[in-house]
Amino acid sequence: MRRIGLLLVLTVLLAGCLGATPARAAFGLSGLSVSFTEKHGTPARQAGSHPYAMRTFFKVNSKVHPEKKVNVVDGALRNLDVVLPPGFVGNPTAVPRCETIDFLTSDIFSHPGCPDSSAVGQLTVKLGGGTGTEGEETVAVYNMVPAPGIAAKLGFVVAEAPIVIEVGIADEYPYQVVAQLRNTSQIAEVLSSDFVLWGNPADPTHNPDRGDCGFSNFPKEASCPAVMPQRAFLTLPRSCDGELTTFFFAESWWSGDPVHPGPAEFFEGEAKSPSMTGCPDLPFEPTHSATPTTDQAESSSGLAFDIAIEDEGISDPEGVAASDILDAEVTFPVGMTVNPSVADGLGACSPTQVAADSAFAAPGEGCPESAKIGTVEVETPVLEGKTLQGAVYVATPDDPATTELGTENPFDELMAQYVVIRDPELGLLVTQPGLLEADRDTGQLIAFFPELPPFPLSDVRLRLKGGDRGPLVTPPRCGPYETVADFVPTADPGLFFSTSSSFAIGRGVGGGPCPTGPQPFEPGFRAGSLDANAGAHTPFHMRLTRRDGDQDLTRFDANLPPGLLAKLAGVGRCPDAAIAAAKTKTGKVEIASPSCPASSRIGTVRGEAGVGSQLTDVPGSLYLAGPVGKAPLSVVAIVPAVAGPFDVGTVVVRQALRVDPLTAKVEVDGAASDPIPHILEGIPLRLRDVRVDMDRPNFTLTPTNCSPFVTTASIWGGGANVFSVADDSPVGRQAPFQVDNCARLGFGPRLKLKLKGGTKRGAHPALTATYRPRPGDANVASIRTRLPRSAFLEQAHIRTICTRVQFAADSCPKGSVYGHVTATTPLLEEPLKGSVYLRSSDNDLPDMVLDLHGLVDVEVAARIDSVRGGIRATFPKAPDAPLTKVVLRMQGAKKGLIVNSTNLCASTSRARVVLGAQNGKRKSLRPVVEAAGCGGKSAGKRR
């Protein structure tokens, strides 16, 4: 497309090809001028018009040879580049082309054998005498068939030497036309060059100067008419932004006297031309269409995006071309968003890779094929019959850690692209960066392509690939949707032309019926242990799933089965400061240097995001952390959100953990936790699958009770407005849970009872009870202890009773404390400790409550009654938790609840104890109730 303007550059080059010399002191070009004129010689300044002629003039610095007395140049021209103003283009297909073999075949006048209809201008040169030839010569300039890899070619013969100028496009914006002369002949020395190209070569006014008639050695009365339609060959820029500048770059074969030549010299110069006018007169009415590759709701999709421009004036010599598109901005409808599924396996193209690209590069030599997400086709009215092919690549996303602008992509943004057009036949390479912005709240997309190449376009067809990993997600509802495109013309950058197009979503997810009413929400839930043996250390797995088209996951509550516990002893805690730091990190930095200490890691978390059957999998880690609000513990999921080339930061979701004090069941309290993220950097995650695995070795412990249990969950959907919790609603789910082989577990605990204080009848001793289970046994479920008849309940010492309301508010009066208890468990580093209360109950006597506190709180209540005059305490339901030792100390003396009915030292007293295990086994004990103070061997025997 950019090669169109190469013809114009060729014109300029032709004028200077023969006369440029590098500049040390003497070498150089002077008198540089480039002008565009109307038929009567007035300046052609109407933007987008077709000048009658373009004239390029320059002189080569020369001097008079002291001996030969002729003008000579200080060095022979070897190479010359002429770079034409941005937007100046030519149409090489508007004029017939001369084959190279005809160009090299001369007639009797030493004219090329090209047909007159291929002539596009004239060149007049003054030759110096350094090579033995001096004088002035006018020759015809022909439009030639270019070789592969060249956009256009002009040819002429000077001093019987054929000279060819190759026209191409600069590799960088603004992609100006460049005419190049390489390794030119040194047969003739050019003192000046007056190069003219015609805007409409078929104009009959050029008949006297066309082809053979254009040579100075041809009869002047001759006429060479053109047998071809009148079509514009040259077109002026479609912008009125300042003067036009043409650049000249020349290199010599040598400098100085040819007898004593010096090294090659270089020259750089420029010629100014008046600015264009009349830009408001340029037509500008582009149209567009944008259509997803599927009509199904909330589905993976590609995109067919087309731009069409009617530009009849580009080929009409009397007309004016339409304005070029300077900027293009496309706003997609709300609901069409980026598909996270596209990231998995996706590559990216870096600035270095873009720079390494070329028109002749094989696939992958520039931008990698893994970064390709689509194709593009471009047609231009100045290359008739030619469709330029290209590809769309994902650009390397911005890294916030870099400070130099444009390090990763020209916009320093997350989602940038490169549209790369390659055409080896024309030697054309065009790289156009673009930006895709997503609204951080809604995900609505805006595509922006600034500073488009200033070349005429007729059709642009961009295709983003569809399929399971298509880059877009269609809206979630059926109906019509509108895409708006705003185009800024080069003729007036202060204005924009807005167009709209629509597409329809006509089917539901998977081709089903269109959804009606509120979005459904039927999440899936699974949970269980890897090892089903009772009392085993094994990983625990939990999984949430969501269907395409359902409401987003926003919150999660869960109750684990009783007895499913974790060994917290030896596990570190992730500090709050580290959790806060993780939220500020990029995902790659978090991967390289995890915020939480390894000692606090308890498992993994994986999220799968996107739509369709191919999702993007993003792994993370699960850490144990400290309290959140009133919850004593929490788990923190830290997920580096790195997928393919994209890094959208580090996702941190902290879930509060509570322990039911009655059952020791672990509860995930979603109300006190972080919400499940819905959108990151404007990309709706569309989480479909969340898997949590607590797989730290020897961390999770299964119950010793083989009864069937369930893991329950409340999974919350986002409602109609995912950005508001007001319409969120939960759905209850259950996963069955049951362990096996409980009967293999033994049950042989020990219980020691000791009275200390007065031993005589009527005394009130203190009671110490010590419970010790065997390691590896089933956990205790119930305890019923009946003290011997020698120990009665002293009801007169029942002072203050804590009410249930007071107990629930943790405000029991001090007088309701009757003892203390300490429980040691292998699950915790520190024992649980607490007071023993008498609490009101529905029974005749108050309940005795062991109120344990520590890292977690546990409440165990016993019913107190009297059987045959003796005290009985029944603990009907203890948590299914392993214990190392439990020590219960009840007060004595004036605060004691036990009164001796006889002298304790007079005989041996035994309690009756029945213990029930979580696996159903029972153990009966008759422990001796030891009495401190009954000294002596005989006394010991009596006890």
Side-chain angles (χ1 to χ4, degrees), residues 456-534:
L457 301 174
S458 54
D459 289 284
V460 178
R461 296 180 291 275
L462 186 145
R463 299 291 181 266
L464 298 183
K465 65 179 182 180
D468 289 333
R469 295 201 183 277
L472 301 175
V473 177
T474 54
R477 295 286 181 178
C478 291
Y481 291 88
E482 185 179 65
T483 300
V484 176
D486 294 329
F487 299 107
V488 175
T490 56
D492 191 346
L495 299 177
F496 68 87
F497 183 81
S498 185
T499 68
S500 64
S501 67
S502 64
F503 63 87
I505 298 298
R507 294 184 292 166
V509 175
C514 287
T516 58
Q519 278 185 285
F521 189 58
E522 294 293 335
F525 175 70
R526 294 174 59 189
S529 295
L530 184 62
D531 187 345
N533 284 302

Side-chain angles (χ1 to χ4, degrees), residues 477-659:
R477 295 286 181 178
C478 291
Y481 291 88
E482 185 179 65
T483 300
V484 176
D486 294 329
F487 299 107
V488 175
T490 56
D492 191 346
L495 299 177
F496 68 87
F497 183 81
S498 185
T499 68
S500 64
S501 67
S502 64
F503 63 87
I505 298 298
R507 294 184 292 166
V509 175
C514 287
T516 58
Q519 278 185 285
F521 189 58
E522 294 293 335
F525 175 70
R526 294 174 59 189
S529 295
L530 184 62
D531 187 345
N533 284 302
H537 286 287
T538 177
F540 182 75
H541 172 82
M542 188 178 293
R543 185 177 186 182
L544 305 178
T545 57
R546 168 191 161 274
R547 306 176 307 177
D548 284 336
D550 275 13
Q551 298 174 32
D552 278 349
L553 304 170
T554 60
R555 175 179 152 189
F556 172 71
D557 300 341
N559 290 311
L560 302 186
L564 183 68
L565 302 172
K567 184 179 179 180
L568 303 181
V571 182
R573 307 289 188 274
C574 185
D576 289 350
I579 297 172
K583 296 178 180 180
T584 66
K585 289 183 177 180
T586 64
K588 292 178 181 178
V589 172
E590 177 63 25
I591 292 173
S593 178
S595 300
C596 293
S599 62
S600 64
R601 189 176 186 273
I602 60 173
T604 62
V605 60
R606 304 185 77 90
E608 291 190 347
V611 298
S613 60
Q614 301 294 323
L615 305 177
T616 290
D617 184 18
V618 182
S621 295
L622 201 65
Y623 298 94
L624 187 65
V628 173
K630 295 182 178 181
L633 290 169
S634 61
V635 292
V636 182
I638 297 183
V639 182
V642 178
F646 300 110
D647 182 347
V648 292
T650 300
V651 178
V652 178
V653 178
R654 192 171 186 177
Q655 296 286 109
L657 296 182
R658 299 183 185 275
V659 177

Side-chain angles (χ1 to χ4, degrees), residues 177 187 385 387 508 648 658 721 807:
V177 174
I187 295 176
T387 299
V648 292
R658 299 183 185 275
N721 183 2
F807 189 88

Side-chain angles (χ1 to χ4, degrees), residues 186 515 661 817 906 915:
Q186 302 180 51
V817 176
L915 299 102

